[in-house]
Amino acid sequence: MKRMIVHCEPGSTEMALLEDGKLVEYAVERSQHRGLVGSFMKGKVVNVIPGMQAAFVDIGLKKNAFLYIDDVLHPHLEKQPKPKPSIAELLKPGQELVVQVVKEAIGNKGARVTTHYSLPGRWIVYMPTSGYVAVSKKISREAEKQRLRSIGEELRTEEEGLILRTVAEEEDVKSIEEDLLLLRNQWASILDKAEQLTAPVVLHHDLSMIQRLMRDAYSPETDELIMDSPEQAEEALTFLQGMLPGESPDIIIYEGDTPVFDYYDVKPQLEKDFQRKIWLPGGGYLVWDTTEALTVIDVNTGKFTGGASLEDTVFQTNLEAAEEMARLIRLRDTGGIIIADFIDMDTDTHRTAVCERLEQAMYSDRTQHHILGWTRLGLLEMTRKRMREENTITG
């Protein structure tokens, strides 16, 4: 069972997602620093750099946004010209265009933007100019994939693209069509504003953190949504009723004297899980180091002595570490290159099993990621899409 806990106070909202009592996601949204990923802007091209095949676009932030040529060409690879033209043939300084933010400004780097537009709904992701249908890879049954693909092809126009999300599995045509109509209207509204307004300007903000969580992860049949603000709860209920017509979502309003994060054991987990050294249940531990270029996670046996032999002890520690690592990557929202230094194992069978355990544990992570496998040095490599700064907590 999932339990979503939302703590509200003036100027900020904190969200914690628990699965079977374990903390798996955490985020803070401050009203004065609302994230921009997913938002649409009308920007103005400031300069074009043919040597980088990129342009810099003023979208109204301190630093100009970065637009790479692959984010200007047609999103369907088969419709892209070959060889690629120079970006100077596609964009000119002073040109205004609609872009979507795909990555927040991080450190000294400006935001990254694209013209491959996408609007996520409850059941689908709508891509107004992509021209293809795709189905979530997490839907395993081929017959269901074919059914959803057929629905998508039937509903879309020739230039539109649709991705049928994992939650669309077993969903009826009517619900998917209603989602599509809503997203088409949103896109039409964005284009109308772009016609009327002068760059740089925000055309459409993505949903708030709470709304995104409800859209992507909340099921009223199985999940609990707990909020300590009656006003925010009322807004959330209105949003859910609009997103899930015919459903009867129930939001629990927490009114206890103990802070809600303390009552549901969120705060102690946060304090433990964001340390550099994280103990595993069996006595091993992880050491977590983040640099500008990558994140390195080192696995150690620590106090673990439960195996029948040294190799078995190492193997059991590594299996436990893989599972905990997946939870913490999701919780901390770690992105970019991730290197896991597991304890050396003697057999390929054990190495394969550890990699498979990590893949299984990462299955519920909604952020795009790829587990690349073992290097010659015995390190496990993976990447995870980075869209914003990694989560941290302050004391």
Side-chain angles (χ1 to χ4, degrees):
M1 183 191 79
K2 292 199 295 288
R3 178 175 278 160
M4 302 175 188
I5 302 166
V6 180
H7 167 55
C8 308
E9 52 184 56
S12 71
T13 303
E14 283 184 281
M15 180 282 299
L17 178 61
L18 303 175
E19 291 181 354
D20 298 323
K22 271 199 166 184
L23 185 62
V24 295
E25 289 186 28
Y26 169 76
V28 182
E29 186 171 73
R30 294 178 174 84
S31 55
Q32 69 272 32
H33 296 297
R34 184 174 175 181
L36 286 175
V37 170
S39 297
F40 288 80
M41 332 283 278
K42 186 176 184 180
K44 180 180 287 188
V45 178
V46 176
N47 51 1
V48 178
I49 317 293
M52 293 174 62
Q53 283 287 62
F56 289 92
V57 182
D58 179 9
I59 59 171
L61 302 180
K62 289 181 180 178
K63 290 185 178 294
N64 292 327
F66 181 82
L67 177 61
Y68 185 56
I69 188 170
D70 284 353
D71 290 310
V72 181
L73 297 172
H74 196 285
H76 198 312
L77 291 176
E78 293 179 2
K79 297 183 180 180
Q80 290 186 1
K82 295 178 179 56
K84 290 179 185 177
S86 168
I87 195 164
E89 299 173 39
L90 305 174
L91 298 174
K92 305 294 180 188
Q95 181 179 343
E96 295 189 352
L97 72 167
V98 176
V99 294
Q100 185 175 19
V101 179
V102 292
K103 189 175 181 181
E104 298 277 6
I106 298 176
N108 294 321
K109 296 179 181 178
R112 181 164 176 176
V113 295
T114 185
T115 63
H116 297 175
Y117 314 117
S118 63
L119 281 163
R122 173 66 172 175
W123 313 115
I124 65 172
V125 176
Y126 175 65
M127 303 172 295
T129 60
S130 290
Y132 67 90
V133 173
V135 179
S136 167
K137 293 178 181 177
K138 291 186 178 180
I139 296 176
S140 57
R141 291 187 297 115
E142 192 57 38
E144 180 61 7
K145 282 186 175 181
Q146 289 298 333
R147 183 187 78 89
L148 291 172
R149 191 173 284 111
S150 297
I151 290 172
E153 292 289 1
E154 181 183 334
L155 294 177
R156 76 180 183 97
T157 63
E158 186 175 349
E159 65 174 7
E160 290 176 331
L162 303 179
I163 298 175
L164 282 298
R165 306 183 72 180
T166 308
V167 289
E169 189 169 10
E170 305 296 345
E171 196 54 49
D172 59 54
V173 178
K174 184 181 177 184
S175 297
I176 295 171
E177 185 174 19
E178 287 174 351
D179 209 17
L180 174 58
L181 292 174
L182 176 67
L183 296 171
R184 276 179 181 155
N185 288 337
Q186 281 187 7
W187 176 239
S189 174
I190 290 167
L191 293 181
D192 285 346
K193 287 182 180 177
E195 286 285 330
Q196 299 166 21
L197 301 175
T198 303
V201 65
V202 178
L203 302 172
H204 172 81
H205 263 300
D206 194 18
L207 300 175
S208 70
M209 176 183 69
I210 300 171
Q211 290 170 333
R212 289 197 306 272
L213 180 71
M214 291 189 292
R215 179 194 67 197
D216 295 342
Y218 177 68
S219 171
E221 295 85 8
T222 59
D223 303 335
E224 285 185 353
L225 178 56
I226 301 156
M227 305 180 73
D228 62 1
S229 164
E231 294 80 9
Q232 290 267 29
E234 188 174 338
E235 290 179 16
L237 183 60
T238 301
F239 174 78
L240 283 172
Q241 289 171 336
M243 185 182 72
L244 300 169
E247 299 274 1
S248 300
D250 181 30
I251 298 176
I252 299 168
I253 299 175
Y254 177 78
E255 298 178 315
D257 294 330
T258 306
V260 66
F261 271 20
D262 288 326
Y263 184 83
Y264 287 101
D265 197 35
V266 173
K267 192 173 180 181
Q269 291 191 61
L270 279 174
E271 291 171 349
K272 175 176 66 73
D273 291 337
F274 279 83
Q275 298 291 325
R276 178 173 180 259
K277 183 176 182 178
I278 304 104
W279 287 97
L280 300 171
Y285 64 91
L286 308 176
V287 176
W288 201 284
D289 287 306
T290 301
T291 71
E292 189 171 343
L294 49 81
T295 296
V296 179
I297 307 166
D298 186 35
V299 183
N300 298 273
T301 52
K303 306 169 187 174
F304 186 87
T305 56
S309 63
L310 177 59
E311 174 67 10
D312 190 53
T313 298
V314 166
F315 179 50
Q316 294 302 324
T317 303
N318 283 341
L319 286 176
E320 197 173 68
E323 198 149 329
E324 188 72 347
M325 199 180 291
R327 183 181 71 86
L328 293 170
I329 286 169
R330 185 178 167 195
L331 173 61
R332 294 174 179 231
D333 200 14
T334 301
I337 300 168
I338 302 169
I339 303 293
D341 185 7
F342 287 96
I343 308 164
D344 289 340
M345 293 171 282
D346 291 337
T347 69
D348 287 340
T349 303
H350 285 173
R351 280 188 285 272
T352 300
V354 168
C355 190
E356 288 176 349
R357 177 67 63 88
L358 181 61
E359 288 173 348
Q360 290 165 7
M362 291 291 296
Y363 180 81
S364 55
D365 186 4
R366 298 188 302 279
T367 299
Q368 182 180 340
H369 58 272
H370 299 285
I371 296 173
L372 305 173
W374 300 94
T375 70
R376 291 183 181 180
L377 295 175
L379 306 172
L380 190 73
E381 284 183 303
M382 66 175 289
T383 62
R384 187 174 183 269
K385 191 172 183 179
R386 175 183 283 164
M387 297 187 291
R388 51 185 66 84
E389 295 276 9
E390 183 171 336
N391 277 339
T392 57
I393 61 168
T394 55

